[in-house]
Amino acid sequence: MTLMETSPAVTQPVDVCTAPPRPHPCPDGRDRYTISQVAAFTGLTAHTLRWYERIGLMPHVDRSNTGQRRFSNQDLDWLEFVTKLRLTGMPVADMVRYAELIRVGEETFEQRQELLERTRRDVIDRIRELQGTVAVLDHKISFYADARRAPERV
């Protein structure tokens, strides 16, 4: 039995690679978002966005003539991907390394693939651990439900 079969509260996963992307607030060409707009759209804080830029996760953020950050739709897409990487538990140093490899170019495809494959293995291991944890919780929940249904002892 899989986790999906034993837990009706869990919804079917969405394949984010084949699902239509979340629409951008503005069309390409008119996509110059302030840091506060990006924070509202992504759920990340302005502090986190500045930190991502400082550590090299977002080194290409455009600036206005007054020095104000101006994010693009491409930046929003990158932030969505980085958020997924964070959810995998990938260390920030690996995320920065991945971003550096992208900037180097196509000759780093193999290194990027290896980094993502390693992260995927780690995620699969965590899922297995969590499935075992859910099984224990389900057992305990059943125990308490059965105990409440049992006739009272005199």
Coordinates of all heavy atoms in Angstrom, one line a residue, residues 14-71:
V14 N 0.5 17.1 -8.0 CA 0.5 17.7 -9.3 C 1.9 17.7 -9.8 O 2.9 18.0 -9.2 CB 0.1 19.2 -9.1 CG1 0.2 19.9 -10.4 CG2 -1.4 19.3 -8.5
D15 N 2.0 17.3 -11.1 CA 3.3 17.3 -11.8 C 3.6 18.7 -12.2 O 3.1 19.2 -13.2 CB 3.3 16.3 -13.0 CG 4.6 16.2 -13.7 OD1 5.5 17.0 -13.4 OD2 4.8 15.3 -14.5
V16 N 4.5 19.4 -11.4 CA 4.7 20.8 -11.7 C 5.5 21.0 -13.0 O 5.6 22.1 -13.5 CB 5.5 21.5 -10.5 CG1 4.6 21.5 -9.3 CG2 6.8 20.8 -10.3
C17 N 6.1 19.9 -13.5 CA 6.8 20.0 -14.8 C 5.9 20.0 -16.0 O 6.2 20.6 -17.0 CB 7.9 18.9 -14.9 SG 9.1 19.0 -13.7
T18 N 4.7 19.4 -15.9 CA 3.8 19.4 -17.0 C 2.6 20.2 -16.8 O 1.8 20.5 -17.7 CB 3.3 17.9 -17.3 OG1 2.7 17.4 -16.1 CG2 4.5 17.0 -17.7
A19 N 2.3 20.6 -15.5 CA 1.2 21.5 -15.3 C 1.5 22.9 -15.8 O 2.7 23.3 -15.9 CB 1.0 21.6 -13.7
P20 N 0.5 23.6 -16.2 CA 0.7 25.0 -16.7 C 1.3 25.8 -15.6 O 1.0 25.7 -14.4 CB -0.7 25.5 -17.1 CG -1.7 24.5 -16.5 CD -0.9 23.3 -16.2
P21 N 2.3 26.7 -15.9 CA 2.9 27.5 -14.9 C 1.9 28.5 -14.3 O 0.9 28.9 -14.9 CB 4.0 28.2 -15.6 CG 3.6 28.2 -17.0 CD 2.8 27.0 -17.2
R22 N 2.2 28.9 -13.1 CA 1.4 29.9 -12.4 C 1.5 31.2 -13.2 O 2.6 31.6 -13.6 CB 1.9 30.1 -11.0 CG 1.0 31.0 -10.2 CD 1.3 30.9 -8.7 NE 2.5 31.6 -8.3 CZ 2.7 32.1 -7.1 NH1 1.8 32.0 -6.2 NH2 3.9 32.7 -6.8
P23 N 0.4 31.8 -13.5 CA 0.5 33.0 -14.3 C 1.3 34.2 -13.6 O 1.2 34.3 -12.4 CB -0.9 33.4 -14.6 CG -1.8 32.7 -13.6 CD -0.9 31.5 -13.2
H24 N 2.0 34.9 -14.4 CA 2.7 36.0 -13.8 C 1.8 37.2 -13.7 O 0.8 37.3 -14.4 CB 3.9 36.5 -14.8 CG 4.9 35.4 -14.9 ND1 5.3 34.9 -16.1 CD2 5.7 34.7 -14.0 CE1 6.2 34.0 -16.0 NE2 6.5 33.9 -14.7
P25 N 2.0 38.1 -12.7 CA 1.1 39.2 -12.5 C 1.1 40.2 -13.7 O 0.1 40.8 -14.0 CB 1.7 39.9 -11.3 CG 2.6 38.9 -10.6 CD 3.0 38.0 -11.7
C26 N 2.3 40.3 -14.4 CA 2.4 41.2 -15.6 C 2.9 40.4 -16.8 O 3.7 39.5 -16.6 CB 3.3 42.4 -15.3 SG 2.7 43.4 -13.9
P27 N 2.6 40.8 -18.0 CA 3.1 40.2 -19.1 C 4.6 40.5 -19.3 O 5.1 41.5 -18.8 CB 2.3 40.7 -20.3 CG 1.8 42.0 -19.8 CD 1.6 41.9 -18.3
D28 N 5.3 39.6 -20.0 CA 6.7 39.9 -20.3 C 6.8 41.2 -21.0 O 5.9 41.6 -21.8 CB 7.3 38.8 -21.3 CG 7.5 37.5 -20.6 OD1 7.5 37.4 -19.3 OD2 7.6 36.4 -21.3
G29 N 7.9 41.9 -20.7 CA 8.1 43.3 -21.3 C 7.6 44.4 -20.3 O 8.0 45.5 -20.4
R30 N 6.6 44.0 -19.5 CA 6.1 45.0 -18.5 C 6.3 44.4 -17.1 O 5.7 44.8 -16.1 CB 4.6 45.2 -18.7 CG 4.3 45.8 -20.1 CD 2.9 46.1 -20.3 NE 2.4 47.0 -19.3 CZ 1.1 47.2 -19.1 NH1 0.2 46.7 -19.9 NH2 0.7 48.0 -18.1
D31 N 7.3 43.5 -17.0 CA 7.5 42.8 -15.7 C 8.7 43.4 -15.0 O 9.8 42.9 -15.0 CB 7.8 41.3 -16.0 CG 8.9 41.1 -17.1 OD1 9.1 41.9 -17.9 OD2 9.5 40.0 -17.0
R32 N 8.5 44.5 -14.3 CA 9.5 45.1 -13.5 C 8.9 45.3 -12.1 O 8.3 46.3 -11.8 CB 9.9 46.5 -14.1 CG 10.6 46.3 -15.4 CD 12.0 45.8 -15.2 NE 12.6 45.3 -16.4 CZ 13.0 44.1 -16.7 NH1 12.9 43.1 -15.8 NH2 13.6 43.8 -17.8
Y33 N 9.1 44.2 -11.3 CA 8.5 44.2 -10.0 C 9.4 44.7 -8.9 O 10.6 44.5 -8.9 CB 8.1 42.7 -9.6 CG 7.3 42.0 -10.6 CD1 7.9 41.1 -11.5 CD2 5.9 42.3 -10.8 CE1 7.2 40.4 -12.4 CE2 5.2 41.6 -11.8 CZ 5.8 40.7 -12.6 OH 5.1 40.0 -13.5
T34 N 8.8 45.4 -7.9 CA 9.6 45.9 -6.8 C 9.8 44.7 -5.9 O 9.1 43.6 -6.0 CB 8.9 47.0 -6.0 OG1 7.7 46.4 -5.5 CG2 8.6 48.2 -6.9
I35 N 10.7 44.8 -4.9 CA 10.9 43.8 -4.0 C 9.7 43.5 -3.1 O 9.4 42.3 -2.8 CB 12.2 44.1 -3.1 CG1 12.7 42.8 -2.4 CG2 11.9 45.2 -2.1 CD1 14.1 43.0 -1.8
S36 N 8.9 44.5 -2.8 CA 7.7 44.2 -2.0 C 6.7 43.5 -2.9 O 5.9 42.6 -2.3 CB 7.1 45.5 -1.5 OG 6.8 46.4 -2.5
Q37 N 6.6 43.8 -4.2 CA 5.7 43.0 -5.0 C 6.1 41.6 -5.1 O 5.2 40.7 -5.1 CB 5.6 43.7 -6.4 CG 4.9 45.0 -6.4 CD 5.1 45.7 -7.8 OE1 6.2 45.7 -8.4 NE2 4.0 46.3 -8.3
V38 N 7.4 41.3 -5.3 CA 7.9 40.0 -5.4 C 7.6 39.2 -4.0 O 7.2 38.1 -4.0 CB 9.4 39.9 -5.8 CG1 9.9 38.5 -5.7 CG2 9.5 40.5 -7.2
A39 N 7.9 39.9 -2.9 CA 7.6 39.3 -1.6 C 6.1 38.9 -1.5 O 5.8 37.8 -1.1 CB 8.0 40.3 -0.5
A40 N 5.2 39.8 -1.9 CA 3.8 39.4 -1.9 C 3.4 38.3 -2.8 O 2.7 37.4 -2.4 CB 3.0 40.7 -2.2
F41 N 4.0 38.2 -4.0 CA 3.7 37.2 -4.9 C 4.3 35.9 -4.5 O 3.6 34.8 -4.7 CB 4.2 37.6 -6.3 CG 3.8 36.7 -7.4 CD1 2.5 36.6 -7.9 CD2 4.8 35.8 -8.0 CE1 2.2 35.7 -8.9 CE2 4.4 34.9 -9.0 CZ 3.1 34.9 -9.5
T42 N 5.5 35.8 -4.0 CA 6.2 34.6 -3.7 C 6.0 34.1 -2.3 O 6.2 32.9 -2.0 CB 7.7 34.7 -3.9 OG1 8.2 35.7 -3.0 CG2 8.0 35.1 -5.4
G43 N 5.7 35.0 -1.4 CA 5.6 34.6 0.0 C 6.9 34.7 0.7 O 7.0 34.4 1.9
L44 N 8.0 35.0 0.0 CA 9.3 35.2 0.6 C 9.4 36.6 1.2 O 8.7 37.5 0.7 CB 10.4 35.0 -0.4 CG 10.5 33.7 -1.1 CD1 11.4 33.7 -2.3 CD2 10.9 32.6 -0.1
T45 N 10.2 36.8 2.2 CA 10.3 38.1 2.7 C 11.3 38.9 1.9 O 12.2 38.4 1.2 CB 10.8 38.1 4.2 OG1 12.2 37.5 4.2 CG2 9.9 37.2 5.1
A46 N 11.2 40.3 2.0 CA 12.2 41.1 1.4 C 13.6 40.8 1.9 O 14.6 40.8 1.1 CB 11.9 42.6 1.6
H47 N 13.7 40.5 3.1 CA 15.0 40.2 3.7 C 15.6 38.9 3.0 O 16.8 38.9 2.7 CB 14.9 39.9 5.2 CG 16.1 39.4 5.9 ND1 17.2 40.2 6.2 CD2 16.5 38.1 6.2 CE1 18.1 39.5 6.8 NE2 17.7 38.2 6.8
T48 N 14.8 37.9 2.8 CA 15.2 36.7 2.2 C 15.6 37.0 0.7 O 16.6 36.5 0.2 CB 14.1 35.6 2.2 OG1 13.8 35.3 3.5 CG2 14.5 34.4 1.4
L49 N 14.9 37.8 0.0 CA 15.2 38.1 -1.4 C 16.5 38.9 -1.4 O 17.4 38.6 -2.3 CB 14.1 39.0 -2.0 CG 12.7 38.3 -2.2 CD1 11.6 39.2 -2.5 CD2 12.9 37.2 -3.3
R50 N 16.8 39.8 -0.5 CA 18.1 40.5 -0.5 C 19.2 39.5 -0.2 O 20.3 39.5 -0.7 CB 18.0 41.6 0.5 CG 17.2 42.8 0.1 CD 17.4 43.9 1.2 NE 16.2 44.8 1.0 CZ 15.2 44.8 1.8 NH1 15.1 44.0 2.8 NH2 14.2 45.7 1.6
W51 N 18.9 38.6 0.8 CA 19.9 37.6 1.1 C 20.2 36.7 0.0 O 21.4 36.4 -0.3 CB 19.4 36.8 2.3 CG 20.4 35.7 2.8 CD1 21.6 35.9 3.3 CD2 20.1 34.3 2.8 NE1 22.2 34.7 3.7 CE2 21.3 33.7 3.4 CE3 19.1 33.5 2.4 CZ2 21.4 32.3 3.5 CZ3 19.2 32.1 2.6 CH2 20.4 31.6 3.1
Y52 N 19.2 36.2 -0.8 CA 19.4 35.4 -2.0 C 20.3 36.1 -3.0 O 21.2 35.5 -3.6 CB 18.1 35.0 -2.7 CG 17.3 33.9 -2.0 CD1 16.1 33.6 -2.6 CD2 17.7 33.2 -0.9 CE1 15.3 32.5 -2.0 CE2 17.0 32.2 -0.4 CZ 15.8 31.9 -0.9 OH 15.1 30.8 -0.4
E53 N 20.1 37.4 -3.1 CA 21.0 38.1 -4.0 C 22.4 38.2 -3.5 O 23.4 38.0 -4.2 CB 20.4 39.6 -4.2 CG 21.1 40.4 -5.3 CD 20.5 41.7 -5.5 OE1 19.6 42.1 -4.8 OE2 20.9 42.4 -6.5
R54 N 22.5 38.5 -2.2 CA 23.9 38.6 -1.6 C 24.7 37.4 -1.7 O 25.9 37.4 -1.9 CB 23.7 39.1 -0.1 CG 24.9 39.6 0.5 CD 24.7 40.3 1.9 NE 23.7 39.6 2.8 CZ 22.5 40.0 3.1 NH1 22.0 41.1 2.5 NH2 21.7 39.4 3.9
I55 N 24.1 36.2 -1.5 CA 24.8 34.9 -1.5 C 25.0 34.4 -2.9 O 25.7 33.3 -3.1 CB 24.2 33.9 -0.6 CG1 22.8 33.4 -1.1 CG2 24.1 34.4 0.9 CD1 22.2 32.3 -0.3
G56 N 24.4 35.0 -3.9 CA 24.6 34.5 -5.3 C 23.5 33.7 -5.9 O 23.7 33.1 -6.9
L57 N 22.4 33.5 -5.2 CA 21.3 32.8 -5.7 C 20.5 33.6 -6.8 O 19.9 33.0 -7.6 CB 20.3 32.4 -4.6 CG 20.5 31.0 -4.0 CD1 19.5 30.7 -2.9 CD2 20.4 29.9 -5.1
M58 N 20.6 34.9 -6.7 CA 20.0 35.8 -7.6 C 20.9 37.0 -8.0 O 20.6 38.1 -7.7 CB 18.7 36.4 -7.0 CG 17.7 35.3 -6.6 SD 16.0 35.7 -6.9 CE 15.9 36.5 -8.4
P59 N 22.0 36.7 -8.6 CA 22.9 37.8 -8.9 C 22.6 38.7 -10.1 O 23.2 39.7 -10.3 CB 24.2 37.0 -9.2 CG 23.7 35.7 -9.8 CD 22.5 35.4 -9.1
H60 N 21.6 38.3 -10.8 CA 21.2 39.0 -12.1 C 20.1 40.0 -11.9 O 19.5 40.4 -12.9 CB 20.9 38.0 -13.2 CG 19.8 37.1 -12.8 ND1 20.0 36.0 -12.0 CD2 18.5 37.1 -13.2 CE1 18.8 35.3 -11.9 NE2 17.9 36.0 -12.6
V61 N 19.7 40.3 -10.7 CA 18.5 41.2 -10.5 C 18.9 42.6 -11.1 O 19.9 43.2 -10.7 CB 18.1 41.3 -9.0 CG1 17.0 42.3 -8.8 CG2 17.7 39.9 -8.5
D62 N 18.0 43.0 -11.9 CA 18.2 44.4 -12.5 C 17.9 45.5 -11.5 O 17.3 45.2 -10.5 CB 17.2 44.5 -13.7 CG 17.5 45.7 -14.6 OD1 18.6 46.1 -14.7 OD2 16.5 46.2 -15.2
R63 N 18.5 46.6 -11.8 CA 18.3 47.8 -10.9 C 17.8 49.0 -11.7 O 18.1 49.1 -12.9 CB 19.6 48.2 -10.2 CG 20.3 47.2 -9.4 CD 19.6 47.1 -8.0 NE 20.3 46.1 -7.2 CZ 20.5 46.3 -5.9 NH1 20.1 47.4 -5.3 NH2 21.1 45.3 -5.2
S64 N 16.9 49.8 -11.1 CA 16.4 51.0 -11.7 C 17.6 52.0 -11.7 O 18.6 51.8 -11.0 CB 15.2 51.5 -11.0 OG 15.6 52.0 -9.7
N65 N 17.4 53.2 -12.3 CA 18.4 54.2 -12.3 C 18.6 54.8 -10.9 O 19.6 55.4 -10.6 CB 18.1 55.3 -13.3 CG 16.8 56.0 -13.0 OD1 16.0 55.5 -12.1 ND2 16.4 57.0 -13.8
T66 N 17.7 54.5 -10.0 CA 17.9 54.9 -8.6 C 18.4 53.8 -7.7 O 18.5 54.0 -6.5 CB 16.5 55.4 -8.0 OG1 15.6 54.4 -8.0 CG2 16.0 56.6 -8.8
G67 N 18.7 52.7 -8.3 CA 19.3 51.6 -7.5 C 18.3 50.6 -7.0 O 18.6 49.6 -6.3
Q68 N 17.0 50.8 -7.2 CA 15.9 50.0 -6.7 C 15.9 48.7 -7.5 O 16.0 48.7 -8.7 CB 14.6 50.7 -6.8 CG 13.5 50.0 -6.0 CD 12.2 50.8 -6.1 OE1 11.8 51.4 -7.1 NE2 11.5 50.8 -5.0
R69 N 15.8 47.5 -6.8 CA 15.7 46.3 -7.5 C 14.5 46.2 -8.4 O 13.4 46.6 -7.9 CB 15.7 45.1 -6.5 CG 17.0 44.9 -5.8 CD 16.8 43.9 -4.6 NE 18.0 43.7 -3.9 CZ 18.4 44.5 -2.9 NH1 17.7 45.5 -2.5 NH2 19.6 44.2 -2.3
R70 N 14.6 45.6 -9.5 CA 13.5 45.4 -10.5 C 13.6 43.9 -10.9 O 14.5 43.5 -11.6 CB 13.6 46.3 -11.7 CG 13.4 47.8 -11.3 CD 11.9 48.0 -10.9 NE 11.7 49.4 -10.6 CZ 10.8 49.8 -9.8 NH1 10.0 48.9 -9.2 NH2 10.6 51.0 -9.5
F71 N 12.6 43.2 -10.4 CA 12.6 41.7 -10.7 C 11.7 41.5 -12.0 O 10.8 42.2 -12.3 CB 11.9 40.9 -9.6 CG 12.8 41.0 -8.3 CD1 12.7 42.1 -7.4 CD2 13.7 40.0 -8.0 CE1 13.5 42.1 -6.3 CE2 14.4 40.0 -6.9 CZ 14.3 41.1 -6.0

